[in-house]
Amino acid sequence: MTNLTLTPALALGDDALVLSHRLGEWAGNAPVLEEEVALANIALDLLGQARILLSLAGDEDELAYLREERQFRNLQLVEQPNGDFAHTIARQLYFSVYQQLLFDHLATGGTELAPLAAKAVKETSYHRDHAEQWTLRLGDGTDESHTRMQRGLDALWRFTGELFEPVDGLDAPWAALHDEWTTRITALLERATLTLPQGPQRGAWTAGGGRQGLHTEPFGRMLAEMQHLHRSHPGASW
Amino acid sequence: MTTIAPEEPALEAVFDATVAADERIEPRDWMPDAYRSTLVRQIAQHAHSEIIGMQPEANWITRAPSLRRKAILMAKVQDEAGHGLYLYSAAETLGTSRDELLDKLHTGRQKYSSIFNYPTLTWADVGAIGWLVDGAAITNQVPLCRCSYGPYARAMVRICKEESFHQRQGYELLMALSRGTEAQHAMAQDAVNRWWWPSLMMFGPPDDESAHSAQSMAWKIKRHSNDELRQRFVDICVPQAEALGLTLPDPDLTWNEERGHFDFGPIDWAEFWDVLKGNGPCNEQRISRRRRAHEDGAWVREAAAAHAAKHGKADR
């Protein structure tokens, strides 16, 4: 457990694991029954991706339940608490557009991640569609939903720069992916009558933080909840 | 009775003949008002139970002890939301909207299964709910696949298939705990001790005290009596508990050669009525949480409606 290097499988697996967990927190709290089904569906897809990716890096349960916070390699974006539904949708939008672009690229490459990416990209395009449709509805819905959606987009903007920090061992045209991401997000927000956030996409402290094991305060609390039962019974099987 | 339109006796004869022939009543068919309202009440209560039932299990999603268990539990809770959707749709075929039914749930005018007013205190409770609560639900629901009302019967076919998966995952979860460490075994036994009696109460009051049973049996909405189904469930569970290496918390549980069934001890009906009246450990918590989710989501539903109105598209 101590010799964890930043393998691409670990970085991408942690993204999927942590976002899946956050979406799982919505169970029983969604604004409408159809969204109970949709959010759980996305969470399950991501958990499936996480299990495949983490298994490429080691034992899935050891990696999920026995690492300390500083050993997780996920983006800070995905660990951010759910907030209101608009905040969750903003996080889904930023992440799913990024993930689809990256997986599209990886699916055609010859790495060990290609088969997973080829399968996951279908799921991810559904996740992106879900986030886009809700961004349009909330942006161009009522005054209240517009305000909330804009607030969610603005609040999470400072975590988006990290999406395109190069990941060691992962060959991807990061700058071009970033440009494409910005083009897509800009066009969508315009259709949704929303404004592209103007602030910096990274803070002094957060540049590339998640990938180096540097996380935000809410993450430790999330892990405490996630890992507690497993760690309370060392060596037990479930 | 309400006033009878001139053609009603003839329509009622067709209805009676359809039920007698074990054929299905469909949404456009004529049906007695009382048949319609009985079905709406029963389907709504079932739908409400599915969505309230998400809460005690969702309580463990974020703490599931392995990724495999987490995936299974998330899928199960998602299925329950899906069952809620089919059932509210089945009720809509009887002319009652989902909004109307949710409003009745939120204001306490319609009930959900009392079993969900008990808390899930440990991980083993997820297993006990699958094995016992879903097991009891299946015993109740399999006969509903032959219910006289077509849309309900068809929804139940699909729901029962999924419930059967839920029951098996619960049994398998408890098996892993029972055969695991001492602490895991104790956790499983404690959960079974707490869930056994409330599960037996899921079949409803004894036959001689059941308010709606006789009419529902005549209409073939219900096929077996509460006590009959409860006995069937006990007979199934006893050997399963033995295979699990767990004991059922009833010293009176013995095989009765003459009856060909297991005898079991008296059920605490005072507790049943008390929980039903709202005094269970979680009644307040469950309904408050449901109301809060609904109220917190109001602006989202309004936004979706406003967007659809502006852009001339139906909401998804």
Side-chain angles (χ1 to χ4, degrees):
Chain A
M1 294 296 295
T2 47
N3 291 327
L4 281 176
T5 53
L6 175 53
T7 71
L10 198 59
L12 303 185
D14 284 350
D15 284 349
L17 177 73
V18 171
L19 187 56
S20 165
H21 186 94
R22 285 298 189 202
L23 291 172
E25 293 173 353
W26 270 103
N29 294 312
V32 61
L33 206 41
E34 284 80 355
E35 283 307 299
E36 291 286 358
V37 177
L39 294 172
N41 207 42
I42 297 170
L44 275 166
D45 285 346
L46 289 167
L47 185 53
Q49 293 171 14
R51 295 182 66 191
I52 294 170
L53 286 161
L54 293 180
S55 298
L56 291 172
D59 178 88
E60 61 175 32
D61 285 338
E62 273 184 35
L63 288 169
Y65 291 100
L66 298 176
R67 269 183 300 162
E68 301 293 329
E69 179 176 339
R70 297 284 269 117
Q71 295 174 306
F72 277 81
R73 301 301 184 214
N74 55 281
L75 298 160
Q76 292 181 354
L77 174 69
V78 296
E79 75 202 31
Q80 295 312 306
N82 289 333
D84 66 8
F85 187 69
H87 197 83
T88 290
I89 293 299
R91 192 183 60 199
Q92 286 302 112
L93 178 71
Y94 289 156
F95 182 78
S96 61
V97 173
Y98 150 81
Q99 202 194 30
Q100 196 192 3
L101 288 169
L102 181 60
F103 282 3
D104 258 337
H105 170 78
L106 293 176
T108 55
T111 70
E112 61 171 1
L113 299 180
L116 172 273
K119 174 178 172 287
V121 81
K122 289 177 201 144
E123 298 167 352
T124 302
S125 73
Y126 161 75
H127 305 169
R128 181 188 49 77
D129 183 59
H130 174 263
E132 287 182 352
Q133 293 306 317
W134 273 111
T135 301
L136 291 169
R137 283 192 202 102
L138 298 181
D140 195 13
T142 62
D143 289 346
E144 181 180 5
S145 68
H146 179 90
T147 305
R148 285 176 184 260
M149 191 65 219
Q150 188 66 54
R151 197 189 296 153
L153 292 164
D154 291 347
L156 293 168
W157 185 248
R158 68 180 187 278
F159 298 105
T160 56
E162 193 186 4
L163 305 180
F164 303 98
E165 293 287 335
V167 174
D168 286 348
L170 196 60
D171 183 28
W174 297 103
L177 292 179
H178 194 170
D179 287 346
E180 180 62 24
W181 182 89
T182 307
T183 304
R184 290 192 189 190
I185 297 285
T186 306
L188 180 78
L189 296 190
E190 192 174 322
R191 276 177 65 205
T193 74
L194 294 158
T195 313
L196 190 74
Q198 293 304 309
Q201 280 183 278
R202 57 169 67 76
W205 247 73
T206 58
R211 296 285 187 234
Q212 312 304 322
L214 193 61
H215 295 280
T216 55
E217 281 187 357
F219 187 53
R221 207 168 287 275
M222 191 204 103
L223 285 186
E225 183 172 339
M226 184 174 102
Q227 296 182 334
H228 164 260
L229 177 59
H230 184 97
R231 285 179 180 243
S232 299
H233 297 263
S237 353
W238 300 94
Chain B
M1 282 303 290
T2 50
T3 43
I4 293 179
E7 68 276 24
E8 255 187 36
L11 291 168
E12 186 150 16
V14 174
F15 171 86
D16 289 341
T18 307
V19 172
D22 261 338
E23 285 166 9
R24 298 276 175 269
I25 303 297
E26 294 299 334
R28 268 172 291 200
D29 295 343
W30 183 91
M31 62 188 86
D33 290 345
Y35 176 84
R36 186 185 298 273
S37 62
T38 296
L39 275 168
V40 170
R41 194 193 69 240
Q42 182 171 334
I43 296 172
Q45 176 166 336
H46 189 167
H48 299 332
S49 301
E50 296 283 356
I51 64 167
I52 294 282
M54 294 169 70
Q55 289 184 31
E57 296 187 278
N59 186 35
W60 284 93
I61 287 179
T62 54
R63 293 178 286 173
S66 73
L67 297 186
R68 173 173 169 267
R69 292 289 175 198
K70 189 172 186 167
I72 293 171
L73 183 57
M74 269 192 198
K76 179 174 194 284
V77 174
Q78 185 194 32
D79 282 349
E80 280 149 15
H83 295 174
L85 278 175
Y86 318 148
L87 289 163
Y88 286 119
S89 302
E92 277 175 355
T93 65
L94 293 159
T96 312
S97 71
R98 195 202 305 182
D99 284 346
E100 201 176 332
L101 295 178
L102 283 175
D103 189 53
K104 285 185 173 160
L105 170 66
H106 297 151
T107 53
R109 285 175 293 154
Q110 279 179 344
K111 296 202 179 300
Y112 54 89
S113 175
S114 271
I115 193 76
F116 300 118
N117 291 317
Y118 290 85
T120 48
L121 302 178
T122 72
W123 169 251
D125 290 34
V126 172
I129 288 187
W131 177 43
L132 295 174
V133 175
D134 294 328
I138 294 167
T139 310
N140 263 329
Q141 290 169 6
V142 165
L144 291 174
C145 299
R146 294 184 295 124
C147 160
S148 59
Y149 187 58
Y152 191 31
R154 290 188 287 273
M156 290 316 302
V157 171
R158 182 157 171 192
I159 289 174
C160 283
K161 279 185 195 155
E162 292 179 349
E163 290 293 350
S164 143
F165 159 76
H166 296 171
Q167 196 265 352
R168 284 201 302 272
Q169 69 80 34
Y171 183 84
E172 193 251 344
L173 190 163
L174 286 177
M175 186 66 94
L177 294 179
S178 181
R179 291 178 175 175
T181 65
E182 209 174 307
Q184 286 177 308
H185 183 89
M187 195 193 281
Q189 184 62 58
D190 169 59
V192 169
N193 291 348
R194 283 181 289 109
W195 287 94
W196 173 248
W197 289 107
S199 300
L200 293 192
M201 295 176 197
M202 284 175 70
F203 297 92
D207 294 345
D208 47 9
E209 290 171 36
S210 178
H212 306 290
S213 282
Q215 181 61 73
S216 287
M217 299 266 275
W219 277 330
K220 296 189 182 171
I221 293 173
K222 199 176 161 100
R223 297 271 179 172
H224 307 279
S225 81
N226 294 353
D227 287 330
E228 214 173 275
L229 291 169
R230 187 167 12 247
Q231 181 70 61
R232 187 180 295 177
F233 177 67
V234 171
D235 291 345
I236 291 170
C237 286
V238 174
Q240 289 182 348
E242 207 168 302
L244 281 169
L246 298 170
T247 52
L248 295 171
D250 179 358
D252 297 333
L253 207 52
T254 42
W255 176 251
N256 183 325
E257 192 65 54
E258 205 175 307
R259 291 201 309 123
H261 291 292
F262 283 94
D263 290 336
F264 52 97
I267 292 172
D268 183 355
W269 291 111
E271 176 180 318
F272 172 79
W273 293 114
D274 203 32
V275 176
L276 197 70
K277 271 183 227 144
N279 302 320
C282 298
N283 298 57
E284 175 54 32
Q285 175 189 333
R286 299 284 185 246
I287 205 72
S288 298
R289 164 121 179 245
R290 177 88 269 290
R291 267 193 222 125
R292 193 172 65 239
H294 192 72
E295 284 160 13
D296 288 352
W299 69 271
V300 177
R301 298 189 300 276
E302 282 158 18
H307 183 269
K310 280 185 214 177
H311 296 271
K313 280 186 297 188
D315 186 22
R316 43 193 255 129

